[in-house]
Amino acid sequence: MSVGHKIRAIRDLRGMTQKELGIKVGFSAATADVRIRQYESHKMIPKEDKLKEIAAALDVDVSALKDHDIYSDLDLMQILFELEENHGLVIEKEADRYVLSFDESHPLFRYTNYKLDSWYRAKSQLLSNSEDSGYDDKEYLLWKYRFPLDTMKIEKTNAAKVREKYKPFLNNTYSIKKVNEFILLFEKLIRNGFDIQIASAPERSGIGTFVCCAIFKHSELLEATGEAANAYAEYLSMISYLEKSGIEIERETNSFDGETLLGVYFYSSVLSTALNHTVREIMVAHKAGALDDKIMQIQYKDSLQTFNVPIEK
């Protein structure tokens, strides 16, 4: 669908006239309908800045208005080929059906999975419950045109709730010198019941730099009290100290399985290595109820000794 067709389709969904949209975009009342008509009839193509203004006026994401150049089955095939080469798309045949999925080992799989999960949940809610809830195809279409705005709004709201809860408990005098101290703090978090996810991030890693991410569920962070809440506040203080010490850290918020996930990427090879190996081993042992077993403790002490080194910037 062309840019003009998309503008018209969304304008119709919004119940707006060409003149109303044009005025909202900033055109004069005398020319508003003419300018929008020119875009919708393909006589003019809006430039990027104007396209953003139209998207804002229609309350959708600007990506929904862009032309993705699928005019034939051959165009579609070339896009699928590109997805295979760059995003890990896999084609398989089950009985008489061809099934498309994404390779879990691909560096971008996690992000693709997040987006697919949001799509599946929105479609399930907005279409399957339409008779009971009053939602219909229009609501689902608008969700797609707005994507990822609605998802991002939920993520930002939940992340803000977590920041608000822990802000009063941050320790501005916190310090950390050795990598094994980093590991011990994660052990404290794990023992306090946090279901932490560890994800390597080859897409963020560069030459000589290994990047890993620690991911928490916002619901667990909001429910945490006592020692658990104190442990997470200590974790946040540690992140703040590492940033002030010159360690590059990136925060990220995503949605998956009905949860808001709060992740932190550590752009330090030694910290990321400790996270990806020792902390991951602690998590596995804790879930198996073997963290305090004699053999595990011997191995753990060896790991702590190995990482008894200064944190590298």
Side-chain angles (χ1 to χ4, degrees), residues 284-300:
V284 172
H286 183 263
K287 288 181 179 180
L291 181 54
D292 293 316
D293 288 355
K294 185 175 181 180
I295 295 178
M296 176 60 199
Q297 281 298 307
I298 291 173
Q299 296 173 340
Y300 183 30

